Amino acid sequence: MTPPSWNVIGKPIPQVGSRQKVTGEALYTDDLRIPGTLVGKILRSPHASARIVRLDVSAALALPGVHAIVTGKDAPRPFGVLPISKDEPSMGIDRVRYVGEPVAGIAADDEWIAMEAMKLIHVEYLPTKPIDDAKQALAEVANAADKIHPGTKFGNNLHKMVEQHFGDLPKAFSESFHVAKGHFEYAGISHTFTEPMSAVAHFDRDGRLHIWSATQVPHYLHRAMSEVLGLPMSRIRVIRPNVGGGFGGKSDPFPHEMIASLLTMRCRRPVRITFDREEVFISHHGRHPSEIDVAVGCDKNGRLTGLDIDALIDGGAYGSFGVVTSYYNGVLAQGPYRIDNFKYRGRRAYTNKPMSGAMRGHGAVNTRYALELLFDECAEKVGIDPAEMRIQNALPAYTTTINDFRITSNGVVECIEKVRDASGWKDKRGKLPFGHGIGLACSFYISGSALPIHRTRTPQSTVHIKIDMDGGVTVHSMAAEIGQGSDTVLAQCVAEILGLDVSWIRVKTEDSDLAPIDLGSYSSRVTFMMGNAAIKAAENIREQLRKAACRMAGGEPTDWVFRDAKVINTVDPSKSMTYMEALDEALADNGALIASGWYQSPKLGGAYKGAGAGLSPTYSFGAYITELHVDTETGFVHLDKIWAAHDCGRALNPLAVKSQIIGCVHMGLGQVLMEQWDFNHRSKGNIRNPSLLDYPMLTAKEMPPVDVFIVESDDKEGPFGAKEAGEGPLLPILPSVGNAIYDAIGVRMRELPITPASILRALEAKKKGKS
Amino acid sequence: MILPPFTLHEPKTVDEAVALKTKFGKDADFVAGGTDLLCNYKYEINAKPHVISLGTVTELKSFDTTRIGAGALLDDVMTDSGMRRDLPVIPAAIGVISSHLLRQTGTVGGNLMVDTRCFWFNQSKFWRDSISGCLKSEGDACRVVWGAKECVAVYSGDLAPVLITLGASVTIAGPKGRRVVPLGEFYEHDGIKRHVLGEGELLVEIRIPTEARTWKASYRKLRTRESFDFPVLGVAVAAKVDGDLLLDAHVNLGAVHTTPLSRDGAISQFIGKRIDEATASEIGEAVADGLVIHNNTAMTPAYRRKMVAVFTKRCFLDVTGKRAVAETASR
Amino acid sequence: MSQPPKEVIKFEVNGRTVEVAVRPYDVLLDVLRNELDLIGTKRGCDQGSCGCCAIHMDGRPVLSCLTLAKWAAGKKITTIEGLANPEPHPLQTAFETCGATQCGFCTPGFIMSAKALLDRNAEPDEATIKEHISGNVCRCTGYLQIVEAVQKASEELLEKDRPHDASVVERNRQTHPAGR
Ligand SMILES: Cc1cc2nc3c(=O)[nH]c(=O)nc-3n(C[C@H](O)[C@H](O)[C@H](O)COP(=O)(O)OP(=O)(O)OC[C@H]3O[C@@H](n4cnc5c(N)ncnc54)[C@H](O)[C@@H]3O)c2cc1C
Ligand code: FES
Ligand code: FES
């Protein structure tokens, strides 16, 4: 397939806005300087579980320099990103459910005064016994009022349970040549973006509320604020300045956004709340601590026969995205392999901890680790090369899975072949000296959730374009640029259609007053959905330019192509004109050109309960190989090299795709080797490591070289053939490390993170024959 | 985050610094680079109303291979060609302290004086309040050892174990003049007491005997990442060797006790022996034997004890030339 | 809380002399951001563990979150805003073209660390670059393209044959950030 010749698409251009970032000009929320801004601080619960008996703010309010104090009673209506689990109050009202839960908000002249005021707020708590982990949460609770959320339908502290069964798993397993089984445990982990959350709210004299916030989901924030604050959406303006990373950690509406708003509505001065690092950990909504039992069956030829998954995940105190996570832990294991018998049970528990939520690779990462390790066990039992067995079992392109996922473009086999051949897999696997190993794993991920969170017929993404006499192309969309490069995608798509280079395009994606709705940066939806909307809008405006060209020079609208800021007549090149000439004509008697485009995903999926979870207009695929060695005396894992292949449909910007892949490798290596959200029963519900010192993310020194291979399967529905590259590339790195460790030392590590101590324990157990 | 209010004093001489400290006593702290103290202050850990900055005391800054001023910057000592030539273990050990950026302002004196650490202590005020503090902060009970009366916070500096094995001593200035104390006797048990500095006293310099240059030395550090992380174990070995014959040796462990921990007593039986892989292992086991390590930092005590043996072995192989001496002091 | 009075200090920042009133317990990061509106310097942790707040003090890369503002008195401070002159520094353009910046929040800190390295060592090898940027963390890029960008800038600077200023290196050795 020869790729079409494009001007802007497929070019490794620097990120739109990168000049501002490298020069220090880029404004993030905490960088905004609005005159009169007060400092907002949040008083937090020191108890994991307690009733609030008394709350008295009068002394604090009397302190000079304190302008407003708000408490839970000022906004009792709970919220949550999913309409089905709106269970979180802005501040604890009569009870608190985790250490760090907001109890009151203060606006003061400066931080010292705010801190002083905090000490003057009198809160009397009646501590109650906290639920520390998901297993504990399964115990029956006699009195519903004693549950973390009394209103749930279960007799214990479960939040959600989902069950699915396709095909006939018991039969499939009974007929299998081998069924590999394992119990896997995963520590919770945190997004650890570098920019702490921050929000500035200003209730102006016209009674409009403006909020600047470091958010991935301005639209959901907009909705939640309207509900909680009792203001119509039209009276709220959400602005998303530059965001210093999100990875899912800024994809919920948050209490601090409500609190800053309540404070400014009280005192009518702008209020800024910027978190310190500990507050970021407290508000983290990271990957759920999980226990997952997985069984994978295969026949004697290595064909997979069935998959059984039972996941128990620790949701913390509130819902967040947890209902979705509950599904994703199972359903996203439906690829990249054909699995016709599939059973899944997913349970999410409420516990007295900061809540877990969506994090890059949402719900898919932990199960993927287990599945890929057990896959290798099957390959070993059958006696077949795990790479070959993966190729054998790969879903073909354009097929349907047993749970009715529509698979379209699929480059997984090419991904496997690329990394297999580049890494010298055949000469290395099973042949390296003891302590050295190589491992392979694949991925499968959604490219945007086909179902929007709210039941609505409004498109998932809308893009507006305006062109005036200066020729500059202003593109509006609320798609949230959070560092992943969505503004660049937007600019490239529009520029390509109009035959301009990116410098003509002005991307405006910050302000809800100006830009049309896009649902936000989650579920890897932006490139696919916003990209398609942008193409539509640009095509629409190109049509207007074509008509103008015809008016000026005659010919048919189909005669014109747009390239290099020219409108070229392919039939009679002498009729060609510049883009500015065509524009001039188009503007005559008309004024500025405007156009709109939108994307709505097609209706997909089956009719069973939960059929919507995991549905996506298309899926990304990938395969990674990791080579490493283990210091068998210390248990340290040293990474030698990674080969990473990802099928993103089409690399609209190969530089950005490469960046995403390497960034994913970095983040995944952290989870597999060192990161953990450390809870300890003696810390009374506190995270033991709420700092960037004690919560370790890899530094440049730990980062191994990565060879990136971009596979382009050209998705028929994707913008220029593209699909996602921001989350899927995280999935294979963890199990490729796990499988490489097995190749190196013969133990399958079933607990993440894999610490040096756990490696030594596993080696010892193996020596004693217990592995 | 804010620093709790304090008055900053900037003395020009050691005498002025001593006078200020004598005047304010327990209401004052010294600060050098501030990379340890200011972090703790931001957490409102034992913050004082007076802070005496030593950066303006020029006497403290100079260094050569026989003496290092307490105020010498880690990065300067680390990159010094004389040091690299004569006492390479010092630059190697400095190279694994905190991070490249922190070493630009962190000082050698501050490193020797770095506060002891514990998961239950190095937390924000909010966090500590939620567990009602501990012996070393606002509380009255140890969170690590049930019922303990003495604080078990861990000495987590990297340089002290190395300097102790090299036979270094420190010059201390105080209201009564100056005194010299062997560094090995400078630290005192209990994570709160920490050291022998008395009222008004400060660290002026570290003296390193020239004989140290004839010893072979090695430092190995255990931590999760190769940057930032404090040691959860540091093993320093200095030895007088003739080929692989061990004539004399010192072993000191960091980050397993409230002070740097000398294990010279555990290895006396190996002096005069030839060191090979097997004897080095035996030395490792002997050094690890009987150690009590508490669960109050990253990595479990059981694992850290195992690593005492492994790292000690490796250090002895380093100093007897059985292993290429690492340029940096990592695992 | 009784607060000691502010004191006016004078220092040079990005070539301009400024006078600001600071509290004894203000850190330089806050003064740069809040008093001088130099918001390019970021706060990621406030505890020395991220490098987002790195600036140069008399040519040395230091963490402004752990530097008392008063220590800046009489010093030469350079922040990220001071690098483009007015054209962006080769490091800055290399970060753009190599994809070494994503969300950009860590970027000023990395560039300041890298700039200090290139001032000291015009042709650093990969290990040296990694060492010099290992006091900075980045959650987006995985560092590899940052290393690439530093290499690229180093090559570009060498090509331009801009001799690196030996006196800076010497000065670095002599001044202590907290001294005058
Ligand atoms: C993220 C991070 C990671 C770190 N990692 C490490 C690590 O891996 N290894 C390690 O050893 N350290 C580490 N540190 C701690 C610290 O950076 C170093 O120990 C550094 O050397 C301290 O020097 P300083 O000059 O900054 O000390 P300061 O903070 O100025 O002082 C530290 C203590 O010493 C006292 N003091 C300073 N000078 C004198 C003197 N002359 N006389 C008497 N008392 C004095 C101070 O009162 C204070 O109590 C880390 C710090 C951070 C923030
Ligand atoms: S803000 Fe200074 S190091 Fe993180
Ligand atoms: S670019 Fe986002 S943290 Fe580095």
Side-chain angles (χ1 to χ4, degrees), chain A residues 693, chain B residues 29-39 54 60 70-71 74 96-99 102 105-115 117 155-159 194 197 201-204 221 223 228-231, chain C residues 47-49 66 71:
Chain A
L693 177 58
Chain B
D29 272 330
F30 289 121
V31 65
T35 61
D36 186 43
L37 188 96
L38 296 182
C39 285
L54 299 174
L60 298 179
L74 292 173
V96 295
I97 294 173
S98 57
S99 77
L102 285 154
T105 48
T107 64
V108 171
N111 190 261
L112 295 183
M113 295 292 298
V114 71
D115 202 355
R117 298 184 69 82
Y155 181 78
S156 308
D158 279 300
L159 213 40
R194 296 163 47 211
L197 279 195
E201 285 189 321
L202 78 84
L203 218 57
V204 176
K221 171 173 182 172
R223 55 173 167 177
F228 294 111
D229 298 350
F230 276 92
Chain C
Q47 287 277 8
S49 315
L66 294 180
W71 291 344

Side-chain angles (χ1 to χ4, degrees), chain A residues 44-47 99-100 111-112 115 119 276 278 282 631 633-636 638 674 678 680 682-684 686-699 701-702 756-757 760-761 764, chain B residues 1-5 43-44 95 117 119-120 122-124 126-127 129-132 143-145 222-230 277 295 297 299-300 303 306-307 310-311 313-314 323 331:
Chain A
R44 296 175 178 279
S45 161
H47 300 286
V99 174
E111 216 170 323
W112 285 272
M115 299 301 274
K119 293 176 190 153
D276 62 33
E278 181 180 22
I282 285 173
D631 181 334
E633 267 186 333
T634 62
F636 269 87
H638 298 272
M674 54 182 75
D678 187 4
N680 178 302
R682 289 191 304 171
S683 61
K684 298 189 182 167
N686 277 291
I687 313 161
R688 234 167 47 153
N689 52 347
S691 68
L692 292 185
L693 177 58
D694 293 326
Y695 182 96
M697 69 169 116
L698 270 72
T699 72
K701 286 183 165 179
E702 285 79 41
L760 292 190
R761 276 198 305 274
E764 228 142 79
Chain B
M1 272 177 150
I2 49 173
L3 285 167
Y43 278 163
E44 295 180 61
R117 298 184 69 82
F119 257 146
W120 313 95
N122 294 99
Q123 301 285 0
S124 72
F126 164 76
W127 200 103
D129 282 352
S130 75
I131 60 154
S132 309
R143 304 292 158 195
V144 183
V145 183
L222 176 65
R223 55 173 167 177
T224 302
R225 299 177 293 178
E226 295 285 295
S227 183
F228 294 111
D229 298 350
F230 276 92
E277 186 87 29
N295 185 10
T297 65
M299 302 201 188
T300 61
Y303 175 73
K306 258 189 218 154
M307 289 309 104
V310 173
F311 281 41
K313 175 183 104 178
R314 290 184 178 184
R323 245 174 193 270
R331 308 180 284 261

Side-chain angles (χ1 to χ4, degrees), chain A residues 29-30 37-42 44 70 104-107 196-201 212-214 255-263 270-276 279:
Chain A
T29 304
D30 190 60
T37 302
L38 299 172
V39 171
K41 281 274 158 203
I42 297 176
R44 296 175 178 279
V70 293
I106 300 165
M197 285 111 166
S198 178
V200 178
W212 292 258
S213 186
H256 69 274
E257 293 164 326
M258 307 301 164
I259 296 171
S261 303
L262 291 165
L263 287 167
V271 175
R272 175 209 320 276
I273 295 180
T274 297
F275 281 180
D276 62 33
E279 291 179 289

Side-chain angles (χ1 to χ4, degrees), chain A residues 692, chain B residues 42 228, chain C residues 29 42-54 63-66 135:
Chain A
L692 292 185
Chain B
K42 285 188 176 180
F228 294 111
Chain C
L29 174 61
K42 304 298 184 202
R43 181 198 323 273
C45 71
D46 240 350
Q47 287 277 8
S49 315
C50 76
C52 291
C53 65
L63 296 172
S64 59
C65 73
L66 294 180

